[in-house]
Amino acid sequence: MNVRPRGLQALYAGHSCFFIPLRMTVHLNLGSNLGDRREMLARAAEAVAEALPGRWAVSDPVESEPWGFASPHPFINIGMKGELDVATDPLVILDTLHAIERRLSPAPHRDASGAYIDRALDIDIISVDDPDPILLP
């Protein structure tokens, strides 16, 4: 896991000081509109909590219509809030979530023309309390 110095850690980087990595908060949305949606979300939430250790809270499921494309299959969505044990580079978090998506649901999220399609699992980062912003796709 990549741990990047922040705040006082960055100020004193290279000096003989010991700092405990800061906790950080991550908000995610997990959605599914194919197959056993609730089972997929339960598996995905468990995989996220295992891959990114910390204290996690999970919202009640909410059903919603697909966004950005037409489909007769509604999504079930859950929100997750994680207080990660160790401050982690947001790009590492993004890569970790993409790996979980590919492992649990390897089917693409877009068709050949680039349009959104139905999917068994979609994990989106809503926010990361990191001072270095990243551009999310």
Side-chain angles (χ1 to χ4, degrees):
M1 186 177 304
N2 284 345
V3 177
R4 185 168 22 112
R6 303 173 182 308
L8 288 176
Q9 294 174 340
L11 180 65
Y12 291 102
H15 296 278
S16 59
C17 298
F18 178 77
F19 291 95
I20 298 173
L22 302 174
R23 295 173 79 72
M24 71 186 302
T25 303
V26 178
H27 291 90
L28 308 175
N29 182 73
L30 287 67
S32 175
N33 80 330
L34 287 179
D36 187 337
R37 301 171 298 168
R38 290 179 188 273
E39 174 62 23
M40 177 57 79
L41 292 176
R43 290 175 54 209
E46 183 177 319
V48 167
E50 286 177 10
L52 299 168
R55 294 181 319 194
W56 285 93
V58 180
S59 73
D60 291 332
V62 174
E63 191 167 271
S64 66
E65 294 302 314
W67 180 89
F69 68 103
S71 173
H73 308 290
F75 274 85
I76 291 182
N77 298 286
I78 58 173
M80 293 184 72
K81 176 186 177 186
E83 296 288 336
L84 302 187
D85 289 340
V86 176
T88 305
D89 187 316
L91 292 175
V92 171
I93 294 171
L94 183 62
D95 289 345
T96 299
L97 298 175
H98 283 162
I100 292 168
E101 280 182 333
R102 285 189 303 273
R103 182 169 41 100
L104 297 179
S105 175
H109 290 189
R110 296 177 185 256
D111 64 16
S113 71
Y116 288 124
I117 57 176
D118 293 321
R119 50 202 171 270
L121 181 60
D122 184 38
I123 304 175
D124 296 317
I125 296 175
I126 303 303
S127 70
V128 174
D129 69 349
D130 185 75
D132 300 322
I134 62 170
L135 179 62
L136 297 173

